[in-house]
Amino acid sequence: MLNFTKFERINPEKRDVLQRLKDFDEVYQVFTKQRATEQADRCMQCGDPYCHTGCPLGNYIPAWLKQTAIKNPDLAFALSNETSPFPEILGRICPQDVLCEGACSLNTGHGAISIGAIETHISEDAFEKGMKPKFAQKKNDKRVAIIGSGPSGISAATFLLRKGFEVEMFERADRAGGLLMYGIPGFKLDKTTVDRRINWLLEAGMKLHLNCEIGRDKSISDLEKEFDAIYLGIGATASNKVKIDGEDASNVHFAIDFLTGIQKRNLGNKNVDYIDVKDKKVVVIGGGDTAMDCVRTSVREGALSVKCLYRRDEKNMPGSKKEVVNAKEEGVEFVFNVSPKSIKVENNQAVAVELLETSMSEPDSSGRQKVVINEGSEYFEDADIVILALGFSPEVPTFLKELNVETNSWGGVVIDSSYKTSNKKVYAGGDCQRGAHLAVTAAVDGREAAKAIIKDLL
């Protein structure tokens, strides 16, 4: 170890930009064994590892880095799967630059350890050798229903199946994965990677009900009678509006509708009505990872031009920095310090976004600078397609009321410290209770809720 002076930080190689714009295949290549070993060997094995505390899952990062460095891949695989329900997925999509790698002790000088890339390599190397995650062989007599098949639901199912629970998952879409399947483009996460994890859960005994909406195809009262516990992992799928004139024009779309339609088409659905941006001037409003997914999808779809409008400066963008870099490489134009005032509409079609320039004030109590509108600075950005990527809020399905599950003022499910709702048989986690956040925090909630269910039922 301690070879951070011998080997510099190396990021995983990216496919050539002109090639990757032709398809939706993953941009980053998985580390080779030699590269993973060298990069893992840079770890200082800190006595107080900030990478571990900077990871929402509390992954044993120094431990599996060490095992990778000393060429003990089987133990590295076991350690990486111990705390995480799908390390090969989170290694690809987590914003490591603001989490584990951002907290790395080497980050300010020699360059952080390439934690995400090594995490992905550990699993993919194991899978190539035929290794699989382990689950309990003997079942107990406890049954848990999971509503929603996104990161939180998959995580809860994983940890319940490890303890021998009977698990049934209910998903209203035609494929499992939620955000992982339809909210994240294939150039960041190939869908075969998601299917692989779902298939392992099925092999472990989980029953999956697709195209099954609770309250329509299956009554919530039946679930409450048939199962010992219910876990709500329904996410936050209601798109936020910008609340300006013109946003109801026919060519103004929500990010999730745009991304889902393209992904369904890419998966072979010939009947899907996707949003066609070919040869169009696309304007995306927002600055998070979803906005980056939209702009990068648009350039692959052959848009004439793609602009991302964000009300703060680049330093204050909320998403992963590498996604901004990738978007710039792929030809996206960023317009910072602008706030939409209205959308200009002609014949029910948006033709431009009216913008006001902004500036930044001193940081508030949260440490983030406040946006100040510069009055009299209006100007227009032409647009053929406007995509709103302004985050998501929880839906409040009617079955929550039937379950007597309490929600708060913004629609989030209220839970206690053990992930229980006001109905003591019902648990919840992920975006439906914390608001739209990261896949990794949803995974944490699923894991911790599963632990609470195990404690209560066994």
Side-chain angles (χ1 to χ4, degrees), residues 135-147 153 156-170 201-209 223 226-231 450 453-454 457-458:
F135 297 97
Q137 297 300 307
K138 185 178 179 180
K139 297 292 183 183
N140 60 46
D141 60 351
K142 301 300 181 181
R143 304 181 68 212
V144 180
I146 296 177
I147 304 177
T158 297
F159 288 93
L160 289 168
L161 288 165
R162 288 184 187 181
K163 291 295 185 180
F165 280 69
E166 299 281 356
V167 176
E168 291 194 35
M169 181 177 284
F170 298 84
L201 298 181
L202 295 174
E203 288 179 13
M206 184 185 81
K207 294 180 181 178
L208 175 62
H209 305 271
L223 255 63
E226 295 169 12
F227 292 88
D228 298 293
I230 297 172
Y231 179 71
I453 292 170
I454 293 164
L457 296 185
L458 291 185

Side-chain angles (χ1 to χ4, degrees), residues 84-155:
S84 176
F86 34 72
E88 77 285 2
I89 292 176
L90 294 175
R92 287 170 163 91
I93 67 172
C94 258
Q96 287 96 2
D97 53 347
V98 295
L99 295 174
C100 54
E101 293 181 15
C104 176
S105 298
L106 293 173
N107 190 45
T108 56
H110 295 272
I113 308 299
S114 305
I115 296 171
I118 298 169
E119 182 178 32
T120 303
H121 161 82
I122 289 170
S123 283
E124 294 300 339
D125 178 60
F127 300 154
E128 281 187 19
K129 295 187 297 186
M131 297 179 69
K132 296 180 181 180
K134 295 180 180 180
F135 297 97
Q137 297 300 307
K138 185 178 179 180
K139 297 292 183 183
N140 60 46
D141 60 351
K142 301 300 181 181
R143 304 181 68 212
V144 180
I146 296 177
I147 304 177
S149 68
S152 184
I154 295 172
S155 181

Side-chain angles (χ1 to χ4, degrees), residues 54-59 83-86 89-90 93-96 99 119 151-152 155 179-180 431 434 437-447:
C55 172
L57 280 163
N59 286 335
T83 51
S84 176
F86 34 72
I89 292 176
L90 294 175
I93 67 172
C94 258
Q96 287 96 2
L99 295 174
E119 182 178 32
S152 184
S155 181
L179 165 77
L180 302 176
D431 291 359
R434 69 163 69 235
H437 209 254
L438 302 172
V440 66
T441 50
V444 173
D445 289 347
R447 183 187 70 186

Side-chain angles (χ1 to χ4, degrees), residues 1-2 43-52 62 103-106 113:
M1 311 302 283
L2 300 177
C43 177
M44 296 192 297
Q45 293 293 302
C46 302
D48 184 9
Y50 297 130
C51 60
H52 168 73
C104 176
S105 298
L106 293 173
I113 308 299

